[in-house]
Every structure is written in structure tokens, then in C-alpha cells.
Amino acid sequence: IGDLVGQYCARPTLRSEKYKEQVRRSIEVDLRWANKRALDITPEMCRDMHQKLAKRGVTMANMALQYFNTVWNFARRMDRNLPESPASGLEWFPEKKALNAPIRDLTAWKKAVDAIENPVHRAAYMFGLLTGLRRSEIENLTWDRVGDELYFPLTKSGREFWLPLTDAHHRILLSVRGLDPRYVFPSYGETGHIVSWDHKSVPGTLHSRRHTFATVGVEAGVPEEVMGRLLNHASKT
């Protein structure tokens, strides 16, 4: 495992030394698996270690195994014969969530969103979750930017941005198409588009969806540099 950690951290797209140190420490110090062969690590070992580390702190326990998943999925992209990560089936411990922390219980989140009476707000929540767009990008989105992909001539990162759209995105867009000739998510207010669409009944914050998009993507094996481009980060840190 130690060799895989070294290869993962050696990638030029990983520029943050702090992040690299966190990955190394989690696997080498917290898990103590640097000298183990990848194929010798079992789901049972992951569950036992997750439980053991939780006695020192659930956040640290979750983080250690999540970093392990990230390194494993990186290795799997290089060797398709490598099986699914033995830590992929873990149930993460509930944590005291930061304000914009990723949403872990997506089933409860979806149920709360489905209960929102305003259909435009429902669509905006779902579109945000499936695109990772910033709040302002959703609010100001106009139909002339929607095609097979979304196009933003200028974003917070100071550059143009194109985001591929899937059938799931188009189904959400179909639910609001025809409501307004200009704005995708319209409102009767002065701006013409939604502004106040926070619902206390929905877990997390509006920005939590962006973090969720990133977290789920990385845990599913999407390379961090690709997630950075999908999130339109100015730089990968």
C-alpha cells in the first residue's frame, strides 16, 4: 500500500503538500497499512479498523478509510484487474457536520426535497446536486447557455466553463422548460430568477450539494483533477 500512496501523491496535479501529508499520515500512521499488500486487505479488516479508530474520533476514522478508498481507486484505474476497494461498503459514522459539509444521507435529503411545494425550487436543488454548480450559477442560469452542455462565458474562476449534460440533467430541465423565456429557474421577484430558495427542512445548505457532488465523485473513483475541472476550480489544491 505504501508504494501506491507514493505513486498517488507523486502526481503533478496534486499540488497541496498539506493534502498529501494527510493522505500519508492516514494510511501510514492511523491505519498502519503502509507495509501491507493491497490484496491482503479484506473488508473485515477495514470494518475492524474503522471501529477501532472511531474510539479516537469518528471524523478521523472516516477520513482514514476514505483516503484509503481514494488511493485504492487510483490504483484500480492503473490496474483494472484490481477488485473493488475492500472499504467501499463501509457505513460512515455520523459526524458533527460543518456548515457546508457533504450530505451523507441522500435518501433523507431527496425525501425532503420532494416535499418542497415550489417545483422550481425542487428542480434547482436537484440540478445543483447533479452538477455541483455554485449557488449564483444556478440562480443566474439562462436558457441561451443550455444545450448539449452548459456554457458560462465568465465564472468565479475568471474563465469560460463548459459542463457536459446527461439525460438526468435534461429531465430536470424539462420540468422547468417553458416557465420563463430567459431564466431556467425563474421567480416573480424583481430579479426574475430565484434568490431566496433555502428550505430549512432540507438537510445541509445549498452549498452542501456542491461538496456532495465532489465527495461522491471522488469516492466513486473519479480522479481529483477531473472533479476539479467539473467543479470549475481555479486551481487544484
Side-chain angles (χ1 to χ4, degrees):
I1 289 294
D3 290 342
L4 296 179
V5 173
Q7 294 173 35
Y8 174 77
C9 291
R11 294 182 306 152
T13 51
L14 289 184
R15 300 171 188 167
S16 171
E17 291 302 323
K18 181 179 179 181
Y19 172 78
K20 295 177 187 179
E21 181 57 31
Q22 288 174 335
V23 174
R24 293 191 190 99
R25 178 177 177 79
S26 289
I27 294 176
E28 296 173 4
V29 179
D30 297 330
L31 295 175
R32 298 183 182 181
W33 286 351
N35 295 324
K36 290 189 177 294
R37 291 179 64 251
L39 294 178
D40 288 340
I41 298 175
T42 66
E44 291 74 23
M45 288 172 61
C46 292
R47 286 195 295 270
D48 290 345
M49 182 60 74
H50 195 217
Q51 293 285 342
K52 179 179 178 181
L53 292 179
K55 296 177 182 178
R56 294 162 51 190
V58 295
T59 297
M60 185 268 283
N62 286 345
M63 183 179 296
L65 274 301
Q66 286 164 4
Y67 282 147
F68 172 79
N69 264 340
T70 298
V71 171
W72 186 287
N73 288 330
F74 161 74
R76 198 180 186 196
R77 291 196 296 274
M78 296 188 298
D79 182 3
R80 288 297 179 182
N81 292 320
L82 197 65
E84 186 177 29
S85 168
S88 62
L90 285 177
E91 294 186 9
W92 307 114
F93 294 113
E95 303 175 31
K96 291 184 178 179
K97 297 190 178 298
L99 182 61
N100 296 316
I103 301 158
R104 286 298 180 185
D105 191 344
L106 286 172
T107 300
W109 183 89
K110 177 65 163 52
K111 183 177 180 180
V113 169
D114 288 342
I116 296 174
E117 292 186 6
N118 189 315
V120 176
H121 291 188
R122 287 200 305 270
Y125 266 95
M126 290 303 302
F127 198 69
L129 181 70
L130 296 185
T131 60
L133 289 176
R134 297 179 176 91
R135 175 179 184 145
S136 61
E137 293 167 344
I138 294 172
E139 292 176 351
N140 292 283
L141 184 61
T142 52
W143 285 111
D144 59 348
R145 298 180 185 175
V146 178
D148 291 333
E149 57 188 4
L150 293 185
Y151 169 65
F152 295 89
L154 183 65
T155 64
K156 186 177 180 180
S157 65
R159 63 189 178 194
E160 293 180 305
F161 177 52
W162 288 265
L163 180 70
L165 294 178
T166 67
D167 289 343
H169 296 128
H170 285 296
R171 283 194 294 271
I172 297 171
L173 293 171
L174 183 62
S175 72
V176 291
R177 189 173 291 278
L179 297 179
D180 185 83
R182 183 182 182 190
Y183 288 108
V184 175
F185 302 106
S187 169
Y188 292 116
E190 289 185 11
T191 63
H193 59 72
I194 56 174
V195 176
S196 299
W197 50 297
D198 306 73
H199 289 262
K200 293 181 179 180
S201 60
V202 179
T205 67
L206 293 179
H207 200 69
S208 295
R209 297 159 316 161
R210 182 169 168 84
H211 288 180
T212 304
F213 177 82
T215 300
V216 172
V218 171
E219 290 180 354
V222 178
E224 287 81 356
E225 56 269 30
V226 173
M227 287 307 308
R229 290 197 294 270
L230 289 174
L231 290 166
N232 193 29
H233 285 162
S235 63
K236 182 71 182 73
T237 57

